Amino acid sequence: MKYIAIGLGFNLFWLLAVWGQYQYVTLLMSLLIGCWLFYRRCFPYALLASVIGIGGDYILFQLGVMQFPLPTDPLFAPFGYFIPLWLILLWLGFTSMVWIMREQVQRLPLWGVIIGGSLGGAVSYWTGLTLGAVIWPYGELVTFIGIALVWSIYSGYLLWLLRRMSKRGAV
C-alpha cells in the first residue's frame, strides 16, 4: 500500500509540473522540501541523481531535440535559456521518489530497470508533448526513440548510484 501511495503521489507531482508548468512551482518546491525533511537521506541522492538528467535534458535542449514554450512570467524568463524550472523540479521529484522506493527498485534486474526506465521515460516525455509542455522539432518517432535511448543510460546510472549509495550508507 505504501508504494502505491508513493506512486500516486509522484504522478500527482508529475501532473502539477508538466501540466501546470510554472503555475505550481512554489507548491512543487514545498512538496520537495517536505519530502526531504521527512526522508532526510533522500536529499543527497536526489541531487546527485538529478545532475545527469538535468544535464542530459539541457544537452537535448541545446541540440534542438527538445524545445519548451517560453515562460510568460518575467520571474522565470531566465529559464528560457536553460531547461524550465518545472523540469528541474520534476527531476528532483522523480529521483526523490526513486530513493524512497529504493528497496523495490533494487530488487529489479538491471535489464528490467533499463527497459522499464527507457520506455517509461520516453512515454513521460511524449505525454509532456501531448500536453504542450515540450516541442519535438525532429518529429515524434525519431525523438521518442532518441529519448528512450537516453533514458536507458539514465536508468542504468540511477540504479548504479542507488545501489552504491545504499550499500555505502553514504546518505
Side-chain angles (χ1 to χ4, degrees), residues 23-94:
Q23 294 177 54
Y24 301 111
V25 164
T26 304
L27 178 59
L28 295 172
M29 287 182 189
S30 299
L31 290 169
L32 280 172
I33 291 168
C35 172
W36 295 334
L37 289 173
F38 191 75
Y39 296 98
R40 291 181 186 264
R41 295 178 56 191
C42 176
F43 181 70
Y45 176 80
L47 289 180
L48 289 172
S50 294
V51 167
I52 192 170
I54 293 167
D57 281 355
Y58 178 72
I59 290 169
L60 293 174
F61 170 70
Q62 289 299 314
L63 293 173
V65 175
M66 297 190 304
Q67 297 174 353
F68 301 95
L70 292 173
T72 54
D73 187 329
L75 176 66
F76 302 114
F79 289 96
Y81 303 101
F82 194 65
I83 64 171
L85 178 58
W86 59 262
L87 184 55
I88 293 168
L89 296 173
L90 183 56
W91 267 107
L92 290 166
F94 172 70

Side-chain angles (χ1 to χ4, degrees), residues 85-116:
L85 178 58
W86 59 262
L87 184 55
I88 293 168
L89 296 173
L90 183 56
W91 267 107
L92 290 166
F94 172 70
T95 55
S96 294
M97 188 255 329
V98 169
W99 177 261
I100 293 166
M101 297 186 67
R102 68 190 174 280
E103 293 172 6
Q104 297 298 317
V105 174
Q106 290 181 92
R107 290 183 185 149
L108 299 171
L110 177 60
W111 63 267
V113 170
I114 290 175
I115 291 171

Side-chain angles (χ1 to χ4, degrees), residues 108-124 144-145 147-157 159:
L108 299 171
L110 177 60
W111 63 267
V113 170
I114 290 175
I115 291 171
S118 63
L119 292 176
V123 167
S124 176
F144 185 90
I145 292 168
I147 289 175
L149 291 172
V150 168
W151 263 88
S152 68
I153 296 166
Y154 291 163
S155 299
Y157 169 74
L159 182 61

